[in-house]
Amino acid sequence: MPSYIRFLSLSFFSVVLSLTSSFQTGAAEQPPSRFFLMGSGTMHLKNLRNNRDAKVTLLNPDRSFNEEAFNKVDWVFDFPAEEKGEHISPRLLFMLSYFADRLAPGKTINIESAYRSPEYNNQIREQGNNAAQTSTHQDGLALDFWLQGVSGKQLWKTIRAKNCCGIGHYGGKIVHLDAGKPRFWEAATSGTRAKEPDFNRHLYLATDFDRYKPNDRVRLAFSSLSSYDFGVHPLAQVFRVDNLQTPVSGIRIDSKGETDCIRIGERKNARLLTTSLPTHLPPGKYTIRIEFCEKPFEQMPSETFSNPIEMTP
């Protein structure tokens, strides 16, 4: 078995199973959702580009993740999971399920664009189409879709109101949804055809889940990068979301050997950073700050904060 598949199964879904089970405090209780927006996970996905479709249920009866269902989703999205060492973003899929459950329960989710390789994304840009240089489609974090009987404007407004993610509308029934930095745009404000260098100014750091317990393992992933020629300091810091001036704890990013700067170098490395949360954090909302080293551009930020996470008892 290739090493990246061992990483995927052991460091992600096998850990998910144990973490999810650890939330259970009684036979009649259900563990809390690992994401702030988490639909049922039961969906009918149809990719109109490759004519692949599948009906999936992402959660097992005990609310652990259904590995077979995620494999089917990767196939529908045409996402090279073995090469990437991860699945299509679970956060994206559960957000998608959340909105589909509310606006078009039981209806097919029609996908116009799913995963894009960097080469294909560049090709789209060269043709003058709406594709950002740092598109989250390239990291398996995005899709363009529509729901039967739901206007694109209604779908856009509903998702935008949650301030959860990236939501774009270029007109018509199709919207773009991604699990990147919360933001919204329409055709006139998208900036997807901009030609100037990005300099990593729009990078985004995300945790694999939204809710954790003390000492849980966390996978950190960067998206919206234009260059991978940089490093991160191995010592990160944890802050309360209501106080970004005073750290409450330090955590160490896993690395091979002692180093003052963990080199990223390629897209895959930017999405597989791991660490452990402190054992002493009380319940509440926190964020993780990472500092950069050996930056290739002076315009690149010197640090970034992750999405908010919630610590549970």
Side-chain angles (χ1 to χ4, degrees), residues 200 222 234 282:
N200 281 345
F222 286 105

Side-chain angles (χ1 to χ4, degrees), residues 44-224:
H44 180 195
L45 302 167
K46 184 172 183 179
N47 190 333
L48 302 177
R49 292 296 179 92
N50 58 20
N51 292 316
R52 295 177 181 176
D53 72 278
K55 294 181 179 180
V56 298
T57 298
L58 300 178
L59 293 173
N60 293 314
D62 65 355
R63 293 182 65 80
S64 61
F65 283 3
N66 182 344
E67 172 77 5
E68 181 179 353
F70 276 88
N71 288 335
K72 287 182 179 179
V73 174
D74 292 336
W75 175 73
V76 171
F77 275 63
D78 203 18
F79 183 74
E82 292 189 5
E83 172 190 329
K84 299 289 186 180
E86 60 177 323
H87 286 296
I88 282 288
S89 166
R91 177 179 277 110
L92 170 68
L93 296 176
F94 281 109
M95 283 195 304
L96 176 64
S97 173
Y98 176 89
F99 292 112
D101 287 348
R102 280 150 184 77
L103 293 174
K107 299 291 183 65
T108 300
I109 297 171
N110 299 282
I111 302 170
E112 295 284 350
S113 181
Y115 168 72
R116 300 177 193 157
S117 69
E119 295 76 18
Y120 180 51
N121 193 71
N122 288 337
Q123 179 182 338
I124 293 176
R125 283 177 55 79
E126 290 170 358
Q127 294 171 349
N129 295 316
N130 291 313
Q133 178 185 0
T134 57
S135 172
T136 47
H137 284 270
Q138 300 170 96
D139 290 312
L141 297 175
L143 80 162
D144 301 340
F145 75 103
W146 53 276
L147 299 171
Q148 190 69 44
V150 181
S151 72
K153 197 70 170 182
Q154 179 188 2
L155 187 52
W156 181 78
K157 286 182 176 180
T158 300
I159 299 175
R160 173 185 168 179
K162 288 294 184 180
N163 193 33
C164 60
C165 39
I167 178 65
H169 183 223
Y170 302 102
K173 61 185 177 181
I174 302 169
V175 301
H176 165 102
L177 172 67
D178 69 58
K181 183 179 297 184
R183 65 209 190 284
F184 62 90
W185 66 91
E186 296 180 88
T189 59
S190 69
T192 55
R193 301 180 186 180
K195 299 297 184 181
E196 66 272 11
D198 181 79
F199 299 120
N200 281 345
R201 289 176 297 180
H202 298 100
L203 61 86
Y204 185 61
L205 177 66
T207 59
D208 46 357
F209 301 113
D210 293 330
R211 292 190 174 96
Y212 295 90
K213 295 173 71 70
N215 204 39
D216 274 352
R217 296 287 293 168
V218 179
R219 182 171 72 94
L220 298 164
F222 286 105
S223 62
S224 300

Side-chain angles (χ1 to χ4, degrees), residues 267-286:
R267 187 181 297 273
K268 184 176 178 180
N269 293 343
R271 300 197 53 74
L272 299 179
L273 297 170
T274 55
T275 187
S276 293
L277 290 171
T279 59
H280 62 276
L281 289 181
K285 289 194 174 182
Y286 299 86

